[in-house]
Amino acid sequence: MTVALTRRDYSLTGPEGERSVERGLAAAEWYHPDIPRKRLKELMRRRDGPALRDLAIWVTLIVGSGALGGYFWGTWLAVPFFIVYGVLYGSSSDSRWHECGHGTAFKTSWLNEVVYQVACFMIMRNPEVWRWSHARHHTDTIIVGRDPEIIAMRPPKNWEIALNFLALPNVWNAIKQTALHARGKLTADQETFIPKSEWSKVFLVARIWVAIYAAVIALALFLQSWLPLMYVGLPTIYGGWLVMYTGLTQHTGLAEDVLDHRLNTRTIYMNPILRFMYLNMNYHIEHHMYPMVPYYNLPELHKEIKKDLPEPYKNTFQAYREIITALFRQRKNPGFYYKRELPPGAKPFRPELHEVTPAAAQ
């Protein structure tokens, strides 16, 4: 579907944010299907067991692949083990910080916080920045001028998206922001969603990270070997491709400025390996509608509300046929997007906001 749009200002300090507030899109009411209260409470129940099991598997795979990569270092046999290590370190850490950041993975709060801090370091996302960034993302999902986590802005920079399959722009931006935070400063956008009382935590984390990376680099220089950096730092680059592969499927190519997650978010069926790496975030409509439901309960939540949702994508390949088409069409026509069709009997929510109006882009 196409609407009249020109280039938009996605910054959080520009006119689009003010326009979103005026249109009632900021911190607004979102559509939620009807679920019996008792059933919803059951689905929201957190347990340590499933998360500890998945954490044990994840850590074992990281340690095992890292140990074998180090053992075979200097030979071609190290390559497959570091490929596995890199994806586990630089990609699957994304879903770990995400779930623990919501505080839903474990019932025990300190376990959520420990895994959150470690996973954020692995993927180079300041935990104090992303705690507040992600809260805003859920409050104002894909609302232009409000959501700081929109991956593909219109018209999209396809070359930058392609490079992020090597994590290069993301890591370079993370390095610049870490340096900025270590100097005691925030970006203008970050100042809009991080409370001033939390700024000192952002700066402290950045300074600790700088010290850790400096120590790893010093060790690599002392040993005259890249090996230390293959364990810390570089995996975020050479193992970061899966983050982009899964991340683009969440919202790219769908509607902006709507208050219905059925229209701006995808649910995709995935195989068990991808679901483990992604911690069931393929059920992304369900997660956005009910972010306090733990990842291990999302398949059951999906069963409860699937009759009210658009048809799930059968796999990531089906989703990417749509995403790639949208990214190329939006280069010339920023107003193009795919309109998700609701199933028969599903009611639209605030239908006046189900389309991006031309006025929103002026």
Side-chain angles (χ1 to χ4, degrees):
M1 184 169 181
T2 302
V3 293
L5 280 179
T6 56
R7 185 182 298 273
R8 307 187 71 182
D9 182 355
Y10 285 81
S11 73
L12 305 191
T13 56
E16 292 281 5
E18 296 177 6
R19 195 171 292 121
S20 294
V21 172
E22 293 169 0
R23 296 178 63 209
L25 294 171
E29 180 186 0
W30 288 77
Y31 176 79
H32 292 90
D34 293 327
I35 300 180
R37 183 177 179 84
K38 181 179 179 182
R39 179 58 175 152
L40 184 57
K41 288 183 69 175
E42 291 172 353
L43 292 169
M44 291 174 63
R45 187 167 66 89
R46 296 172 296 162
R47 294 172 287 156
D48 285 339
L52 283 171
R53 175 203 62 207
D54 291 339
L55 177 64
I57 295 171
W58 184 55
V59 171
T60 299
L61 290 171
I62 289 176
V63 172
S65 59
L68 289 169
Y71 179 78
F72 290 112
W73 180 248
T75 73
W76 284 105
L77 289 174
V79 173
F81 294 111
F82 274 115
I83 289 174
V84 173
Y85 178 86
V87 173
L88 290 165
Y89 183 111
S91 284
S92 62
S93 55
D94 177 64
S95 56
R96 271 69 189 174
W97 79 256
H98 175 266
E99 284 304 290
C100 292
H102 278 282
T104 55
F106 299 92
K107 181 178 180 180
T108 303
S109 297
W110 69 265
L111 286 171
N112 283 313
E113 187 63 22
V114 168
V115 175
Y116 177 70
Q117 294 287 335
V118 172
C120 281
F121 173 79
M122 295 166 79
I123 203 166
M124 295 183 72
R125 292 179 179 171
N126 189 298
E128 304 308 322
V129 172
W130 282 80
R131 199 186 303 276
W132 296 99
S133 168
H134 202 63
R136 172 67 71 84
H137 171 64
H138 272 272
T139 301
D140 298 326
T141 307
I142 317 301
I143 304 298
V144 177
R146 296 286 300 176
D147 187 348
E149 297 183 11
I150 297 177
I151 296 178
M153 304 172 185
R154 303 186 202 171
K157 296 179 180 178
N158 290 339
W159 62 270
E160 185 174 299
I161 291 172
L163 282 177
N164 261 327
F165 278 88
L166 299 174
L168 295 176
N170 281 347
V171 168
W172 177 239
N173 186 55
I175 291 171
K176 291 192 296 182
Q177 289 203 18
T178 300
L180 180 71
H181 298 155
R183 298 199 308 271
K185 298 180 180 180
L186 298 173
T187 67
D189 279 0
Q190 289 167 353
E191 289 183 1
T192 68
F193 60 80
I194 303 175
K196 198 164 186 177
S197 60
E198 303 298 306
W199 290 8
S200 61
K201 295 179 182 178
V202 176
F203 307 148
L204 176 61
V205 167
R207 288 159 187 163
I208 292 172
W209 284 15
V210 169
I212 293 172
Y213 284 117
V216 173
I217 292 171
L219 180 60
L221 292 172
F222 176 76
L223 297 175
Q224 296 186 344
S225 171
W226 286 93
L227 187 57
L229 290 167
M230 291 295 290
Y231 288 117
V232 177
L234 289 180
T236 311
I237 298 175
Y238 71 77
W241 62 270
L242 187 61
V243 172
M244 200 62 183
Y245 185 80
T246 53
L248 275 176
T249 67
Q250 296 174 359
H251 310 284
T252 303
L254 301 181
E256 298 174 334
D257 294 349
V258 294
L259 296 177
D260 192 331
H261 295 111
R262 299 173 297 177
L263 304 181
N264 68 5
T265 308
R266 288 183 181 87
T267 283
I268 304 172
Y269 292 136
M270 293 184 179
N271 63 59
I273 295 175
L274 269 180
R275 283 178 53 192
F276 171 78
M277 300 291 285
Y278 200 27
L279 288 186
N280 285 340
M281 282 298 105
N282 54 298
Y283 296 107
H284 215 65
I285 298 177
E286 295 83 350
H287 168 67
H288 267 276
M289 285 182 165
Y290 299 99
M292 297 312 293
V293 172
Y295 72 91
Y296 38 80
N297 289 339
L298 287 177
E300 289 300 312
L301 174 61
H302 173 68
K303 294 177 184 178
E304 290 285 337
I305 65 175
K306 64 182 297 184
K307 291 182 179 180
D308 202 37
L309 307 183
E311 185 70 22
Y313 294 77
K314 295 178 181 178
N315 49 50
T316 56
F317 299 111
Q318 183 185 23
Y320 262 95
R321 283 197 295 269
E322 190 173 277
I323 292 165
I324 291 170
T325 300
L327 288 174
F328 278 98
R329 293 188 66 172
Q330 287 172 356
R331 287 293 301 160
K332 293 183 178 179
N333 190 348
F336 176 82
Y337 69 96
Y338 281 96
K339 182 180 179 182
R340 301 291 281 137
E341 296 296 334
L342 302 180
K347 64 177 182 178
F349 178 68
R350 295 185 66 179
E352 76 276 12
L353 295 176
H354 275 218
E355 308 294 348
V356 180
T357 62
Q362 294 173 356

